[in-house]
Amino acid sequence: MALETAGPLAGTDPAAHGPGHLTPGDRAGLLRSMLLMRSVEERAMNLYRQGKVPGSFYDGFGQEAVSVGAAWALAATDRLCILHRDLGAHLVRGVPPARILGQYMGRDGGITRGRDGNVHFGDHTRGCVGMVSMLPDMMLVATGMAMGFKLRHQDRVALTFFGDGSTSRGDFHEALNWASVQRLPVIFVLENNQYAYSTPLAAQFVVDPIARADAYGMPGVRVDGNDAEEVFEAVHAARERALVGAGPTLIEAVTMRMHGHAAHDDMKYVPPAQLEEWRAKDPIDRQAARVARDGVDVDALREEVRALVDAATQEALAMPMPDPATAHHGAFHDPADGEVVLADGGEAPWSGFAAAGGAG
Amino acid sequence: MATMTYLQAISDGMREEMRRDERVFVMGEDIGAFGGAFKVTDGFLDEFGADRVMDTPLAESAIIGTACGAAYVGLRPICEMQFADFISCGFDQLVNVAGKMHYRQGLPTNITVRLPSGGGFSGGPFHSSNPEAWFMHAPGLKVVAPSTAEDAKGLLIAAVRDPNPVVFMEHKHLYRRVKGEVPAGTYETPLTARIAREGSDLTVIAYGAMVHTALEATADLDGASVEVLDLRSLVPLDEEAILASVRRTSKVLIVDEANQMCAAGAQVAAVIAEHAFEHLDGPVRRVATPDVPIAFSPPLEQALLPGVDRIKEAARELLDY
């Protein structure tokens, strides 16, 4: 299959961009979700510096367009594996910021009730699977969810994120190969943020991952990962393709990790000029300029998000720590508690679902 | 009731459960048209079709990982590893995804992973392992190891219905050697120990193939009354049954076909030392495979695997203690 390149890496004129699937409301919604992601993560970093977040803290500063744009294209019946630079996907699905901040602080009200930290969570009531640290493992989990949809003849897709470092692991190969052999409705979103911890792309691979899509018999689509609308369009197209039984798509969203691997990382291995170059391509600035042209009061939107995060912070700080007496509970599910599988409770805000009569 | 081999009983358990529950399907390498390396799924393709009897790419990590994903969307996959040894290639998915998901996220991973295990056939270092202790040590996984045809079927069905990931150890040396009466229809065998033979002078604790070796070794020990306890389940471990037997006999021999270091029997010994010390009239003894890979050549392999003679010798020493 041909390698499709959906756009240049940079330099897209925001004013010229507008492929047609997004209403002004969607465009503002994308901005709001990105603002919310950045605001929650900045607040969490402050809490970390105050000693309220145990361990280290991991964020997706500068990468907000990837998770927000991708999640915006998914229906409530679709399923996601969300990784640690992808907080925006949780927010699009409707996870309350207070529970996320509680999660970071190890509180009982966090999604994992203190069992796991930072972005290692998935709200199964909203159709999301919590990641494990061995990131490309989730490529196989997503492939398996898609396999389940195909076995049951359901019109649904699974999506997973993963990073440039993940392409070096065997599970990357196993997932792409398996998904292609079985023509599964799965979307692989490679979030190329230039570094796996301190390891740059040149030390990770010789052949660009998107070029490898051809070897697996699936389209490889490279998008500007700092453009939420371009990410949305690529995932939307991949979803349409998956729903007609045409199989998986590999999307490479090219972006930049603007912070260290985690709060303890001073990023001395990143050339300052590289950061400067990417700072000029900030995904929120770009979307804000578009939305402002649509007549939206962006300052008011920023203020609304700030107030929301202020309230969420207070709510999270009021959450108790988990009871140490429960630390050994929960390794196994008790059948008496009923069957638990991923549920359809996540939000699917894209206007196209509402227009289709709530098919989302 | 019908007389079945251990292998037929496993097949029967899967077949009955697949007929009863459309969410159940089997997946693995060469299990469809070929019927599996040991023919456990022979005939399944004709009855259930290729969707539910899934020949997979040769990729163990993918088999476990995709099974996890299928479970999260409501299916109940049964994965076959062609040999238990090959689970090393799927270890990460089993231990880190399946084993830890419920504790972290409250999301159970309803998968069954069948591991054809054990030596005795010149399978060599990569087709003879008993890796159950790896999974006993990993939180969130259940581990069962039937020794009889009836329990093989009942534990297989219990594993499929259990919402948690269950590692099902099926011993290759029992496949066609062990036969027994097996109830028709579906039933669940509890994940508890079973007294394979009652006795009062000595308890031999074993599971899987070693139950049969222990029964043979202690059938006639100069008139001694030897109890043989079949653990059946390693996680959960039936500590009550272990301790009750030790209180009755006061002497214990534990047999593992697995390598000795940190094997299931080591945990059993620790439980006894901690909770039944006052009831012991002798040291807790173990017979297990030395800590080397399983050798290929028959005299070497037989020198490694616990056999009737080694069990007899250890049992006699304990009875005379």
Side-chain angles (χ1 to χ4, degrees):
Chain A
M1 288 175 204
L3 180 71
E4 300 167 19
T5 303
L9 297 190
T12 307
D13 175 5
H17 197 90
H21 292 110
L22 295 169
T23 64
D26 287 317
R27 302 174 83 172
L30 287 168
L31 174 62
R32 184 181 180 280
S33 292
M34 288 196 289
L35 286 169
L36 191 54
M37 173 172 167
R38 184 165 292 183
S39 185
V40 166
E41 291 190 335
E42 285 178 336
R43 188 62 53 93
M45 185 67 94
N46 288 340
L47 293 167
Y48 170 77
R49 291 187 178 124
Q50 293 167 21
K52 294 191 171 76
V53 174
S56 194
F57 179 70
Y58 303 73
D59 70 10
F61 192 103
Q63 301 177 218
E64 294 88 349
V66 181
S67 57
V68 168
W72 205 264
L74 296 186
T77 49
D78 296 334
R79 298 289 179 254
L80 300 84
C81 297
I82 305 172
L83 272 54
H84 60 303
R85 310 286 180 209
D86 308 320
L87 183 68
H90 294 294
L91 294 166
V92 169
R93 295 298 273 196
V95 178
R99 293 201 67 199
I100 294 168
L101 290 164
Q103 164 77 13
Y104 293 147
M105 294 190 285
R107 303 295 171 113
D108 198 47
I111 306 292
T112 68
R113 304 184 65 221
R115 269 61 180 172
D116 206 342
N118 52 72
V119 197
H120 287 208
F121 69 86
D123 184 344
H124 60 74
T125 68
R126 299 172 197 272
C128 303
V129 184
M131 58 172 276
V132 301
S133 285
M134 307 76 191
L135 305 178
D137 286 21
M138 308 316 291
M139 297 179 71
L140 285 166
V141 173
T143 300
M145 295 195 291
M147 187 172 81
F149 302 152
K150 187 179 179 194
L151 287 176
R152 304 187 108 178
H153 309 288
Q154 295 170 333
D155 292 330
R156 307 159 70 182
V157 307
L159 178 145
T160 187
F161 301 96
F162 58 102
D164 38 286
S166 293
T167 64
S168 296
R169 271 272 312 278
D171 281 359
F172 169 82
H173 162 73
E174 292 193 23
L176 294 181
N177 181 62
W178 184 297
S180 196
V181 166
Q182 297 193 353
R183 291 180 81 80
L184 297 177
V186 56
I187 303 167
F188 299 107
V189 179
L190 165 54
E191 194 160 4
N192 180 350
N193 66 2
Q194 313 299 321
Y195 290 89
Y197 209 138
S198 71
T199 306
L201 302 183
Q204 202 70 250
F205 45 71
V206 172
V207 177
D208 195 305
I210 205 68
R212 287 181 248 168
D214 200 34
Y216 291 104
M218 68 178 75
V221 182
R222 173 177 286 151
V223 299
D224 181 344
N226 283 23
D227 184 337
E229 297 190 11
E230 196 171 317
V231 173
F232 167 85
E233 291 297 340
V235 173
H236 174 72
R239 183 174 183 273
E240 296 286 300
R241 184 172 185 278
L243 290 177
V244 298
T249 299
L250 175 62
I251 296 170
E252 180 184 22
V254 181
T255 183
M256 174 69 192
R257 196 191 72 208
M258 299 299 289
H259 284 171
H261 174 66
H264 57 268
D265 174 7
D266 64 7
M267 248 189 352
K268 65 184 179 189
Y269 47 85
V270 178
Q274 190 180 17
L275 283 172
E276 278 310 307
E277 177 197 336
W278 282 92
R279 195 162 288 130
K281 297 187 261 190
D282 183 82
I284 290 180
D285 290 348
R286 177 179 302 187
Q287 192 67 10
R290 284 182 186 144
V291 168
R293 274 192 288 276
D294 284 341
V296 173
D297 183 344
V298 173
D299 288 338
L301 196 57
R302 288 182 193 274
E303 193 47 47
E304 184 242 311
V305 166
R306 188 176 302 120
L308 195 157
V309 175
D310 283 346
T313 305
Q314 294 312 311
E315 190 181 339
L317 284 167
M319 290 173 180
M321 295 300 279
D323 179 359
T326 66
H328 62 289
H329 296 170
F332 294 107
H333 183 70
D334 184 347
D337 293 336
E339 187 181 354
V340 175
V341 298
L342 296 174
D344 292 341
E347 293 174 17
W350 177 47
S351 61
F353 294 127
Chain B
M1 299 282 253
T3 301
M4 291 184 194
T5 64
Y6 181 90
L7 184 150
Q8 288 167 334
I10 295 169
S11 299
D12 194 49
M14 288 197 289
R15 195 183 295 110
E16 295 277 10
E17 198 64 3
M18 288 176 75
R19 286 174 181 163
R20 193 188 71 87
D21 185 346
E22 53 88 27
R23 297 172 297 180
V24 181
F25 71 102
V26 293
M27 57 191 294
E29 297 159 9
D30 311 299
I31 70 164
F34 187 62
F38 297 98
K39 302 295 181 189
V40 179
T41 50
D42 200 22
F44 277 46
L45 184 64
D46 289 340
E47 178 170 355
F48 299 107
D51 276 0
R52 296 181 72 198
V53 187
M54 188 188 292
D55 273 323
T56 69
L58 199 163
E60 287 80 11
S61 186
I63 292 171
I64 307 293
T66 59
C68 291
Y72 299 144
V73 298
L75 294 169
R76 294 184 167 187
I78 303 172
C79 308
E80 177 177 305
M81 291 291 109
Q82 201 156 69
F83 286 85
D85 312 63
F86 301 170
I87 191 62
S88 55
C89 300
F91 193 86
D92 176 41
Q93 291 282 347
L94 188 53
V95 166
N96 283 316
V97 176
K100 296 178 183 172
M101 191 61 76
H102 188 267
Y103 183 78
R104 300 163 60 237
Q105 315 287 345
L107 180 63
T109 308
N110 190 336
I111 65 171
T112 302
V113 183
R114 292 178 37 234
L115 300 187
S117 65
F121 324 72
S122 287
F126 304 106
H127 297 77
S128 307
S129 295
N130 294 281
E132 49 272 19
W134 292 350
F135 305 110
M136 293 178 69
H137 192 70
L141 303 176
K142 295 188 179 181
V143 183
V144 300
S147 71
T148 69
E150 180 178 355
D151 287 349
K153 178 175 174 179
L155 282 174
L156 188 284
I157 292 170
V160 172
R161 294 182 187 177
D162 195 306
N164 299 288
V166 181
V167 177
F168 185 87
M169 307 300 306
E170 49 188 69
H171 200 291
K172 302 191 295 290
H173 200 33
L174 302 182
Y175 271 158
R176 293 175 176 83
R177 189 167 63 109
V178 165
K179 288 183 183 168
E181 293 294 304
V182 174
T186 61
Y187 61 92
E188 292 184 57
T189 297
L191 273 60
T192 55
R194 165 189 82 96
I195 296 173
R197 184 177 61 219
E198 290 189 346
S200 55
D201 298 333
L202 167 69
T203 296
V204 181
I205 300 176
Y207 60 91
M210 286 298 113
V211 172
H212 301 278
T213 311
L215 285 168
E216 182 185 345
T218 58
D220 180 15
L221 273 182
D222 313 321
S225 170
V226 179
E227 180 150 303
V228 175
L229 187 70
D230 175 0
L231 292 173
R232 295 200 294 200
S233 171
L234 303 177
V235 179
L237 186 63
D238 190 347
E239 296 187 2
E240 281 311 305
I242 292 166
L243 296 173
S245 183
V246 172
R247 289 187 197 110
R248 280 194 295 275
T249 65
S250 301
K251 290 182 178 177
V252 194
L253 172 63
I254 305 164
V255 185
D256 283 287
E257 187 183 310
N259 295 115
Q260 179 154 347
M261 179 73 77
C262 298
Q267 180 64 23
V268 173
V271 167
I272 294 167
E274 193 163 359
H275 300 294
F277 182 77
E278 301 290 328
H279 296 275
L280 289 172
D281 279 342
V284 175
R285 287 287 310 272
R286 295 181 60 201
V287 172
T289 292
D291 294 320
V292 295
I294 306 301
F296 164 74
S297 184
L300 295 179
E301 183 180 32
Q302 289 311 313
L304 295 174
L305 299 177
V308 167
D309 290 345
R310 280 173 65 198
I311 295 171
K312 270 189 177 172
E313 185 185 344
R316 284 211 168 93
E317 285 175 17
L318 266 178
L319 287 165
D320 292 343
Y321 187 86

